[in-house]
Structures are given as structure tokens and as C-alpha cells.
Amino acid sequence: MAAIVKTSAQQPPSAGVPVDDTSNSNKSVPDVTNAKSASPRKRRPNYAQIHARPVPVVVHPLPAFIPHNPLSIVRIAIVMFSHSLWPPTSHDVVHKAYYSAETHSIHVTNPQSIRALWEHGFWGAGSLSRSEPAWLEQEKRKRGIDASQTSEEYTRKRREERRQFKLERAKVQRETIEQQLRDEGKLDASTSIDEVVSLRLNATVDAADGLVDNSASLSNGKPENIGTLESVVDESAHLETRVALKDVAVEIQDQEHLQLTPEEAFFLTYSLGSLQIYRGETALSSSYLLRLYCAYSAFPIPEDAESHLYTLYSLRERINNFSLGTSVIAPILPDNAFLLRYAVYHHFRSLGWVVRHGIKFACDFLLYQRGPVFAHAKFAVIIVPAYSHSYWSETPERKAETKAKESRDWWWLHRVNRVQTQVHKTLMLVYVEVPPPWDESFRKGGFAVDVGGALKRYKVREFIVRRWTPNRNRD
Amino acid sequence: MAPVAEPFPISHITGRYLLFDIDAISHARREHNICGVLVGTIPNLSQQNVFLGVPLELMPEEARVLIEQGHAYLVDEAEAHQTGFAQMKREDRLAYLQTLDQQGLERAKVIQERKEERSEKVLREKGLVPMKQESSCVAPSETSESTSTPSLGIGISNKESTAELSLFGRPSDPPKPVALPETKLEAQFITPTTSYPPLAPRSVNSSLPLPKVAQNYPLFRYLHSMRYFSMPGLRFGCHYSVYPGDPLRFHSHFLATGIGWDEEFDLLDIVGGGRLGTGVKKAYLIGGEDSDKATQNASGDAPNEESVRAFSIEWAGL
């Protein structure tokens, strides 16, 4: 929050900066002051400036009041006056997005929105990238148009270097062993050391070549681009040949879109109001979206759940008139996976953490302090439902059912704990108190859901687990 | 290693399956790929895990595999002990008690000797010559005139006191030797550590139920049938860590988790397991048994198909 206030204070408060104005200019241009340093390595872009805003909303704070400077009161008065006459808006742009039932994610296709959402709060992930939507840059670089380096390429390079290092190390080890054997007289005395070593070395080098070949053939199928459609690959190959032939920089069409998880999208629509989800041309209400996301989080999902729900939604007036609402709309269960996840997501986002999906580390969410570009995630969140409300222990069947849902075995705990220890994250078990069913009472209004009222019933408890080893935990 | 006659007994004590015979332990490991975990230690001086000794605790799965294949049988130790001693003949019991007494007496003698050795050593260190005949416990009646106590120190002080007294010129009566009551050597009480010299070897009793196993047993049985060794894998978050040969010679290759055929599980578990396995240079392995096929195999309707399927998962990105 401090960052927001600072930057906005430097800018004219009523300027109404467009959301994406810093996006393109800052990203590719390296910092001039930093470029002076002697190191040949290219400096990182100034992330603190690019990601100054933690949410895609503009705030307009009053100028600071300085007690020994009476003129500051005048400034405050002017700003207050101008705000009351022309109230500034915090939502310059409401981004547009679409729900994709196939991938159970929300797609943002407008490039400006993609950049803005990524820069102001790290929302979503590029469909063809690891997290930051960088496919276009990668593509440009591949064709020699742009000289910057994306994180995927950096990782690839690092892995290659590491492999080379391992080969070198193996070679050196081999040499020392040879030397040792020679000293001990175990090697044939007639062959010279160099000969033996070079023979062995040739063998190892051959083996290494084989390795290189293998890894080269492997690295052709880049893991990041697995999701790439055949047509995209074809087209890019086609484009490549064209570039080679004509030797001109071709305008590359951006094939990538931003994918938001339902939790992110719902937070942006419901809590921040800076995202609007459309189906065709119609904007969707947040209670419909809640029902939609919940329907897609319960298993099994019927094939045409989305279109079915939408038909009901578009007919809702008539349904209400005939009071059919209760029979056709499935109620949202209180322990729906989306609700649990959203409660946790909302909890941590509201506390200022950057929350991202944690599937790559086998957890539900990863918590970053400022964002993935600044530091690694500190915490890995795993959600466990807790049925401590008396409603859940009323009947034996209900008790057995909830017990099966909330219980985990020791192997599970050891597994998740060990995985998180390996990647230097702290495991956080987040217990979400599941309230008794609440949707029945809201159902009279058909689709309407009192989202705030429903969310207030969920309580979140954090519980940190750490693997303790006496040798490593001395500090 | 003495040859072990099959089937060998597995002791079932308070829900644990234990092997006490060192030959049986090595036999199970060599012939049947069953490792178990050594759990024995001294009660008041517990050891690190690597220094533990017999008995060997078997997982219920291991015990069950051995019993199902007819290599071993189960003995309910508590019951066998009670009935065994209740049905013992009178002569046998007396003979047994006598041997216990004999052992106790020998033990007491050893302790006594050690005590004397120690006191002798201390005296020699102090520069005092122990008097041979003063080993009072053995022959208290042979003590010298001046000493009445077995301890030499007191004897010396007695002598000094007589010298002092003579200094003052008083005729001194030599103190009367006080005869110590003869200490009888008390037999130590021996707590017998085994019931199987006194009791006859146990007979095969098939009435005991098979060890109760969780639903991951079919996977264990399957891997065992493929000549794999398994160890408990809790520290890797899996049911078994699976070795291609003896765990003393090989690293484990798989982290195996048994799952029911129709059981739903979290996909995050696969991500985590794969990640964990790859991090320690192993593959995560999940497997389960098709219960339909298992019943078919049991009834003999269908050709004997393998009812267990297993999949190994590796994290490709690392």
C-alpha cells in the first residue's frame, strides 16, 4: 500500500492515468541509470517501478499534511475541492474477459489488459508461457528481432550450463581416479597416462555427445509450449521460413492470451470491480458467476453445464415469475471447492499477499510477498476443510461423510511437507470452517446470491507445519 | 547360519508381528525378500535407529505374504506362553526352577568375586597389602586375632588404637574377635528372557486369522511377487520404498503408494509424489487391484490374469 501512495503522490492526483500507460514503455526499455554500471550483463528491468501498483485500481490520496508548512493545508483543500467537483475514478479501465468452460479458466485477450493485469498484481498466467505472458517476446527473440531474454530462455540456458558443469566435473573426477590408479601401479605400466586418460576421455566425450544429442532432441519439445496448438506451431514454422526468405521483420501476431483462475477472476470482478466477464455481448453478474464457478468445481461436471446454466440465467425473469427457481437450479453446497478456495484466496489477497496457483509445487496456493519477479514464494498453502460446526455432527451419516472429507493420512502429510521443504517453502495448512448449508435460504430469488453474506460465514485458520531437523535448525 | 525349517513361527504380540530368531530373520531376508525393521534396544538405554537389534518387526503386509505363501505361521505369543506353562509337567517345572536357581547362584558368585577384586584393587592402589586370609565372606571364621571385620581398614585402625593405648603404658587386652554371622550366598533372581527353552517348540496353528492389512496390500504382494524388496516409506510420504535388490546394496527405485481401484484421489498428490520422487532420484509409483479380476482369479473362472496394475510417475521438468 505504501508503494501506491508514494507513486500516486508524485503524479498529479487528478491526472487519471490510464491503466496501461506505463506498461509498454517500461517493460522493454532498460533503465538508463543502471546501464552505466561496468558489468557486461544486461540489467534487470526496474520491477519496482513496473509493478508499483499492487492491484489494478488507481487510488487518489490527499497530499501529505506537513504541520510546519501551513501551505500544505492549501494543497489539501485544493485537492479536496477538485475531487468534490470532479470526483476521480479509481477504475479507468474495466478489463474484458471471457469464460472458457473447456479449460475452466477465464481468458483475457486484449494485449493492454493482459499487460495491465500482469503488472498490477500478477494476475493470471500466459497460456503459452510459464507465468508471465512472454510468448511474443520469446518468439521475437527466436527470430532475432528482439534481444531481450525471457525467463524461460534463461532457465533453459541455466540448465544447459549446469549440464556442462556436471560433464566437466565427471571428467575431472575420472582423471583423478586414473592418476590415483597410476600412482598405485594398478594401471598397465606400458601405456602412458596421457594415452589412457585420452582414451578414457574420448569414451566419456562420446558418451557426453550422446547425452547432448538426447537432450537436444528432448529440448525440441519445449515443456512450456506443450499447450501450443498444432496450427500455431505450423504457422510459426511457416513464418520463420518466410522471414528467412524475405529477410524482413514480420509483424508477429500474438497467439497468447492470459488465463485467470476462477478465484482470481472472481476477486477481480466481485471485490475490485476491475474485470467484467462477458458471454458474447452480455455482461454477467457476480451471483451468476459464483454459481457458474461453483458448478464447475463440483465433480462430476455435466457436459453442457455452462450453456444450461446460461439458458436458465437468461430466462431468470420468467423463472422467477413461475417460481420454478428452486427446482431447476442446483444449490451451492457449502463445502464447494471453489468457495473454499475463494475464501482462502480472498483472505490472503486482502492481507496484501500476492496469491498464485500452486499446482507446480503440489499445493493450492503460493504466497508471494510482493510478487514472483521480486522474490520466491515464502509459503505454500494447502486447504483443508474443517467441519466443526454442530450441524455437521448431527447425524452419524453426516459425521462419517465429513470425517472422510477432512481426514488426511500421515503419508500425505509427510509427502506434502517434504515436497515443500525441498523447495524451501513453509507449508501452511489452511483450515476453512465450513458453515451449514446456506444456499436454500437465498434461493427464493432465483439466481441472486448474497455473495458477501455467504462469504462472511466462512472462517479461515492458518496452521504452519515445518520439518524440523536438529542439524539444520540451529539458528 | 543354521538352516531354518519352514514354516517358521512369527510371533504376534500386541498387534505387532515379530521375529526373534536371528536365523529366521536372515532366512526371510535371503530367501523371501522380506526385510522388516529391527526394533530391539535396551529399555533404559535406547539406541539410534541404526544400532537397533532383534527382534525384527514385520509390517502386517510382510507377515501376511509369508503366511499366505506357506513360509511362516502365526503364533499368538501371550496365549502360547500361558497355555504352555499351565500344561507343563511337574517334573519339568521343578527341573526348570532348579536350573534357574543354579543360574542365579552362579551369577551371585560372579558378582561376589567381582566385588572382592574391586576392593583388592582399591587397596593396592592405596599401597595397602590386602591380607589373603581376610576374605571374610568366604571364611569368616579364619580371621586373624586383631580384626573382627572383613574390611582391612578397620583392622588397621584397631592396630593403631592398640599401639596408642600401649603408649600410655596401660596393659592392653587384645580386643575380642567378634564373630560375624556367616553371610550365605544368596542366589540372584533370574528373569528368564525366553520361553522357548522351557516350552516345547510351537506347533503350527492355522486357526489364527491372517494379519489385517490395509487396502495397499495387493500392491505390496504384486511388487513382492516381482522379487522387489520393500521397506516402510513413511519418511518419503509413501507406503513402501521399493528396492530392486537387498536394501543394503541398492538405493530404492520407487516410492510406492497403494490406492483402491475405484478410489478418488487428489491430482495434487500425483504432482507432489512425482516431484518428491524425482527430487530423491526415484520414481513415484501408484498401484491398485481390480477387485473384479481378483475375485475371478480366486474363483478360477478366468485365466489367471494379473489383477494389480501399477504406474510410475516422474517429473519431467526438473
Side-chain angles (χ1 to χ4, degrees):
Chain A
M1 271 300 155
I4 262 198
V5 174
K6 226 170 133 191
T7 45
S8 330
Q10 286 160 2
Q11 290 162 356
S14 55
V17 192
V19 171
D20 41 89
D21 101 316
T22 48
S23 59
N24 294 327
S25 55
N26 282 330
K27 179 63 201 164
S28 51
V29 177
D31 205 327
V32 183
T33 50
N34 288 343
K36 273 187 224 159
S37 62
S39 74
R41 233 176 82 199
K42 216 177 153 199
R43 294 303 297 243
R44 284 152 47 115
N46 189 355
Y47 287 126
Q49 195 187 341
I50 296 170
H51 303 287
R53 264 194 256 161
V55 280
V57 185
V58 194
V59 289
H60 305 277
L62 292 176
F65 169 65
I66 304 157
H68 55 265
N69 181 6
L71 278 181
S72 67
I73 297 174
V74 180
R75 277 182 70 199
I76 293 174
I78 291 170
V79 170
M80 280 179 85
F81 182 67
S82 74
H83 278 193
S84 59
L85 281 187
W86 305 283
T89 169
S90 55
H91 297 74
D92 303 310
V93 180
V94 173
H95 305 290
K96 251 185 172 183
Y98 304 92
Y99 183 72
S100 148
E102 290 77 26
T103 55
H104 190 203
S105 64
I106 290 84
H107 292 184
V108 182
T109 46
N110 180 9
Q112 270 109 46
S113 296
I114 291 175
R115 280 251 57 95
L117 285 177
W118 174 257
E119 281 169 7
H120 307 144
F122 305 97
W123 308 88
S127 60
L128 303 177
S129 314
R130 196 167 52 191
S131 58
E132 181 180 356
W135 179 83
L136 190 63
E137 264 172 66
Q138 218 176 322
E139 210 48 33
K140 277 181 185 165
R141 167 136 177 76
K142 216 184 272 168
R143 298 175 198 181
I145 298 167
D146 195 2
S148 70
Q149 200 174 31
T150 58
S151 59
E152 282 88 350
E153 285 162 334
Y154 182 72
T155 310
R156 224 171 288 143
K157 197 175 130 223
R158 196 190 57 210
R159 281 184 190 152
E160 179 61 27
E161 281 170 2
R162 182 149 179 76
R163 213 176 49 74
Q164 279 298 337
F165 165 73
K166 280 184 177 168
L167 283 177
E168 287 289 319
R169 191 176 56 185
K171 207 187 281 181
V172 170
Q173 275 172 353
R174 169 73 62 158
E175 268 177 76
T176 47
I177 290 167
E178 296 278 359
Q179 186 62 44
Q180 184 66 29
L181 284 175
R182 181 103 183 105
D183 291 347
E184 288 169 8
K186 282 177 188 165
L187 265 186
D188 195 3
S190 61
T191 55
S192 70
I193 304 175
D194 294 340
E195 213 178 324
V196 174
V197 169
S198 64
L199 266 175
R200 296 290 178 98
L201 269 186
N202 281 343
T204 50
V205 167
D206 285 347
D209 282 349
L211 272 178
V212 172
D213 286 348
N214 277 341
S215 64
S217 61
L218 269 178
S219 69
N220 281 343
K222 294 147 213 121
E224 302 84 32
N225 290 357
I226 282 171
T228 319
L229 291 169
E230 292 265 321
S231 60
V232 176
V233 174
D234 285 347
E235 196 175 333
S236 66
H238 181 61
L239 273 174
E240 228 167 53
T241 50
R242 226 172 21 166
V243 169
L245 282 173
K246 291 184 182 173
D247 201 23
V248 282
V250 187
E251 185 71 23
I252 306 162
Q253 197 196 343
D254 196 352
Q255 308 273 3
E256 193 176 29
H257 59 259
L258 188 76
Q259 283 184 318
L260 298 169
T261 62
E263 296 87 38
E264 287 173 323
F266 197 69
F267 190 80
L268 283 170
T269 28
Y270 170 72
S271 304
L272 295 182
S274 47
L275 186 80
Q276 182 61 58
I277 293 172
Y278 287 85
R279 192 186 198 276
E281 288 304 310
T282 46
L284 302 170
S285 72
S286 59
S287 44
Y288 167 74
L289 287 171
L290 184 71
R291 288 202 182 276
L292 179 68
Y293 299 150
C294 285
Y296 271 83
S297 298
F299 195 75
I301 308 162
E303 241 175 67
D304 53 347
E306 200 263 333
S307 56
H308 175 69
L309 206 62
Y310 184 70
T311 327
L312 287 177
Y313 177 62
S314 49
L315 294 174
R316 66 188 182 282
E317 293 302 317
R318 237 177 292 168
I319 289 171
N320 274 348
N321 290 349
F322 295 104
S323 68
L324 285 169
T326 44
S327 58
V328 273
I329 304 168
I332 299 172
L333 294 176
D335 56 351
N336 185 292
F338 171 75
L339 279 172
L340 300 188
R341 292 175 62 86
Y342 183 71
V344 174
Y345 187 88
H346 191 109
H347 174 70
F348 285 114
R349 266 285 179 186
S350 317
L351 291 173
W353 292 91
V354 172
V355 188
R356 291 185 60 76
H357 202 289
I359 188 160
K360 59 179 170 176
F361 292 119
C363 58
D364 286 306
F365 292 121
L366 291 171
L367 300 187
Y368 292 85
Q369 212 147 24
R370 282 177 71 198
V373 301
F374 296 107
H376 292 286
K378 262 267 156 54
F379 296 99
V381 170
I382 289 186
I383 299 170
V384 184
Y387 298 86
S388 53
H389 193 276
S390 60
Y391 170 83
W392 296 109
S393 45
E394 267 169 22
T395 61
E397 303 91 61
R398 220 178 269 164
K399 235 179 182 171
E401 194 189 330
T402 54
K403 186 144 194 295
K405 277 183 190 168
E406 66 184 352
S407 64
R408 306 277 189 275
D409 58 20
W410 281 109
W411 292 282
W412 172 86
L413 183 70
H414 274 256
R415 185 160 56 230
V416 295
N417 193 18
R418 217 183 149 108
V419 168
Q420 301 312 333
T421 315
Q422 250 176 18
V423 293
H424 300 292
K425 306 208 183 318
T426 307
L427 174 62
M428 191 191 283
L429 298 180
V430 175
Y431 292 90
V432 183
E433 295 287 347
V434 181
W438 46 265
D439 200 25
E440 275 80 5
S441 51
F442 291 111
R443 273 165 74 187
K444 283 172 220 126
F447 264 88
V449 179
D450 175 13
V451 182
L455 284 177
K456 260 184 202 158
R457 294 157 184 256
Y458 290 85
K459 283 200 188 75
V460 172
R461 275 186 288 136
E462 302 110 344
F463 187 85
I464 278 183
V465 183
R466 239 185 235 157
R467 189 163 170 231
W468 193 86
T469 38
N471 269 337
R472 296 192 181 170
N473 296 60
R474 289 203 198 283
D475 46 330
Chain B
M1 178 185 129
V4 175
E6 285 198 358
F8 56 85
I10 297 175
S11 310
H12 184 212
I13 301 168
T14 60
R16 294 166 171 232
Y17 301 93
L18 300 165
L19 285 182
F20 287 91
D21 184 7
I22 189 75
D23 293 331
I25 291 172
S26 50
H27 177 75
R29 193 169 178 124
R30 268 185 209 181
E31 306 295 327
H32 305 304
N33 296 1
I34 294 293
C35 300
V37 179
L38 289 167
V39 292
T41 183
I42 307 165
N44 52 4
L45 191 71
S46 54
Q47 298 284 306
Q48 290 173 31
N49 284 355
V50 283
F51 299 128
L52 297 178
V54 285
L56 183 86
E57 185 174 351
L58 299 175
M59 290 189 276
E61 294 91 329
E62 290 175 322
R64 180 150 173 166
V65 153
L66 284 174
I67 293 164
E68 275 185 352
Q69 297 179 352
H71 301 308
Y73 64 98
L74 213 55
V75 177
D76 186 350
E77 252 346 303
E79 200 234 305
H81 185 90
Q82 275 177 347
T83 53
F85 276 104
Q87 291 165 1
M88 214 175 182
K89 279 186 202 148
R90 189 180 150 72
E91 301 90 71
D92 288 350
R93 191 176 308 170
L94 285 177
Y96 178 53
L97 287 176
Q98 208 160 9
T99 52
L100 277 189
D101 274 349
Q102 195 64 41
Q103 279 175 1
L105 216 57
E106 275 165 23
R107 177 84 195 128
K109 248 183 215 160
V110 169
I111 289 174
Q112 187 64 48
E113 273 164 22
R114 257 192 221 152
K115 226 189 226 168
E116 277 161 24
E117 259 172 38
R118 224 178 10 243
S119 65
E120 235 172 76
K121 195 181 154 208
V122 170
L123 285 177
R124 213 174 287 132
E125 272 170 10
K126 288 187 174 169
L128 302 165
V129 187
M131 284 180 224
K132 278 271 161 28
Q133 62 270 54
E134 273 187 80
S135 48
S136 61
C137 292
V138 184
S141 54
E142 287 173 22
T143 44
S144 68
E145 13 67 66
S146 62
T147 50
S148 54
T149 53
S151 148
L152 196 69
I154 297 170
I156 288 164
S157 72
N158 274 352
K159 269 179 195 162
E160 279 169 357
S161 67
T162 53
E164 262 179 79
L165 285 174
S166 63
L167 238 161
F168 292 106
R170 275 238 308 263
S172 60
D173 304 338
K176 267 198 170 178
V178 182
L180 265 189
E182 189 170 334
T183 48
K184 192 180 165 246
L185 207 55
E186 286 268 337
Q188 293 269 327
F189 289 109
I190 299 280
T191 310
T193 49
T194 73
S195 354
Y196 286 99
L199 293 182
R202 299 150 283 191
S203 60
V204 178
N205 180 4
S206 56
S207 67
L208 282 171
L210 283 171
K212 259 182 131 182
V213 287
Q215 59 166 357
N216 42 40
Y217 172 64
L219 178 67
F220 177 87
R221 195 191 55 214
Y222 174 66
L223 291 170
H224 184 258
S225 75
M226 313 278 276
R227 307 294 295 163
Y228 280 108
F229 284 69
S230 299
M231 295 274 267
L234 182 59
R235 62 187 174 141
F236 292 118
C238 62
H239 291 131
Y240 317 105
S241 47
V242 181
Y243 296 76
D246 192 296
L248 292 174
R249 295 177 57 207
F250 293 94
H251 285 294
S252 79
H253 282 193
F254 301 111
L255 306 177
T257 303
I259 300 175
W261 191 258
D262 290 323
E263 188 185 337
E264 285 177 12
F265 61 95
D266 210 340
L267 281 179
L268 278 183
D269 282 355
I270 289 196
V271 179
R275 215 184 156 94
L276 175 60
T278 312
V280 291
K281 294 186 182 166
K282 302 176 196 340
Y284 187 61
L285 186 138
I286 54 172
E289 186 180 40
D290 188 349
S291 50
D292 296 345
K293 266 188 195 164
T295 49
Q296 274 178 10
N297 286 349
S299 57
D301 294 345
N304 212 27
E305 261 182 279
E306 186 49 68
S307 57
V308 180
R309 294 192 71 189
F311 301 88
S312 73
I313 295 146
E314 272 181 83
W315 188 258
L318 284 175

